[in-house]
Amino acid sequence: MRRHRLIRNGTVNIFELLNKNAKNSEYFSKIKNRYVLDRKLTKFSSTNIKDALDDLKISLNKMLSRNLNKRFIFLEGKILLKEALKADCVKVESIFFSNDEIFHNEFNLLNKNIVCHRITDDLMKSISDVETNQGILAFANFHSDKIIKKKELFSIILDKVTDPGNMGTIIRTAASVGCEQILVSKGSVNPWNQKVLRSAMGGHFHIDIKYNINLKHINKLITKDFKILVADSKASHNSIDFENLSAKLDSKDKVILVIGNEAHGVDNCFYQLKNQGYQVIPINIPIFMDSLNCSIACAIIAFELRKILNKK
């Protein structure tokens, strides 16, 4: 059974709190108190890591404050950190490492103006949000307004995708095929959930992601010049095989791909858009089982769309 290491002795893990809605968390105001954070890390206090502890507590406090265009994020693992260091929309503020080999051999931080702390393995385990860590993590400012804006020719809508691993994989796939925007509906997992961020492997830094979207008003976010592709295996909607998409699309089309919860499918509101003059095209992937994992389905269709839309 997984152990929550940062806050022990029956108290709540800080990363669980960060993934919850602040309004619904009775612990949120308590954890935001500086004294509480101090108490969690007291046992690691010593003269040689005092600066590291001070910076760590400051970083954790920053994660608890939220801003629409400026988000303080926790980056764990070398791949995610490397992607963050390359992105214009991310400003890495501090790095904590216990693995000297990874830090010195895989990261060139000259002239980066980043505070780096060498910490113990025990402290790394206490900060880490995973069972087996790579010995390196960081805190950074993410500026959504600095993501390079592109023409929105290919977007994805996620309808009640609740699994963090699926969400992260979809974001990672979307970034790799050149998707410009992801709209995440209410009822979906928060795309900034720590598990989502890790599994997306830096995809967040390449796509404009809007979340908590009310599908009742989705027509306000979609113009009628888009072709709406609804991934749906329901025969009642007369869906077409994804391999036949080239007969419905060409490279000049603006496309939105809708991916739903694999257990419940997509909301009927997307089909109702037909009555408002939208082009809605139900598509499916022929399989020998009742359903296909939503992230796998998204990847199959997205790469097919990249071929049609000439995405590089």
Side-chain angles (χ1 to χ4, degrees), residues 173-226:
T173 299
S176 70
V177 299
C179 174
E180 291 91 13
Q181 179 178 243
I182 295 179
L183 303 177
V184 181
S185 78
K186 286 185 175 181
S188 298
V189 63
N190 188 325
W192 290 98
N193 175 296
Q194 284 301 131
K195 291 181 180 178
V196 176
L197 192 59
R198 284 198 306 273
S199 60
M201 291 292 186
H204 290 75
F205 313 144
H206 304 281
I207 305 176
D208 180 24
I209 302 175
K210 295 181 173 63
Y211 66 103
N212 208 28
I213 302 297
N214 188 338
L215 294 181
K216 291 181 180 179
H217 308 301
I218 193 65
N219 61 326
K220 296 180 180 179
L221 299 175
I222 303 175
T223 55
K224 292 182 180 179
D225 56 341
F226 274 93

Side-chain angles (χ1 to χ4, degrees), residues 202-256:
H204 290 75
F205 313 144
H206 304 281
I207 305 176
D208 180 24
I209 302 175
K210 295 181 173 63
Y211 66 103
N212 208 28
I213 302 297
N214 188 338
L215 294 181
K216 291 181 180 179
H217 308 301
I218 193 65
N219 61 326
K220 296 180 180 179
L221 299 175
I222 303 175
T223 55
K224 292 182 180 179
D225 56 341
F226 274 93
K227 289 185 177 180
I228 303 170
L229 309 181
V230 181
D232 194 349
S233 59
K234 298 176 183 178
S236 59
H237 289 299
N238 298 316
S239 55
I240 67 168
D241 192 316
F242 82 99
E243 292 181 331
N244 297 326
L245 279 173
S246 57
K248 296 284 187 179
L249 305 172
D250 62 46
S251 60
K252 297 179 181 180
D253 282 327
K254 298 171 69 175
V255 173
I256 290 178

Side-chain angles (χ1 to χ4, degrees), residues 78-133:
K78 63 181 183 180
I79 295 177
L80 184 56
L81 179 52
K82 284 179 179 179
E83 287 296 318
L85 289 168
K86 292 187 294 185
D88 292 334
C89 60
V90 181
K91 175 65 175 176
V92 177
E93 188 172 280
S94 57
I95 295 175
F96 297 81
F97 68 97
S98 60
N99 187 320
D100 294 293
E101 182 178 354
I102 287 180
F103 179 74
H104 293 295
N105 295 343
E106 300 198 32
F107 290 91
N108 181 7
L109 299 175
L110 292 176
N111 302 318
K112 290 287 188 179
N113 196 29
I114 300 172
V115 176
C116 301
H117 291 291
R118 173 66 167 88
I119 61 176
T120 64
D121 289 334
D122 285 343
L123 181 53
M124 178 61 69
K125 289 177 182 178
S126 295
I127 307 169
S128 174
D129 192 37
V130 296
E131 187 67 28
T132 304
N133 67 74

Side-chain angles (χ1 to χ4, degrees), residues 155-157 218-219 221-231 240 245 248-249 253-259 266-267 269-274 276-283 305:
S155 299
I156 293 176
I157 296 178
I218 193 65
N219 61 326
L221 299 175
I222 303 175
T223 55
K224 292 182 180 179
D225 56 341
F226 274 93
K227 289 185 177 180
I228 303 170
L229 309 181
V230 181
I240 67 168
L245 279 173
K248 296 284 187 179
L249 305 172
D253 282 327
K254 298 171 69 175
V255 173
I256 290 178
L257 173 60
V258 181
I259 299 291
V266 298
D267 194 289
C269 70
F270 292 104
Y271 293 106
Q272 294 173 354
L273 290 173
K274 279 186 176 182
Q276 301 177 39
Y278 288 86
Q279 300 179 74
V280 180
I281 306 172
I283 57 177
L305 287 172

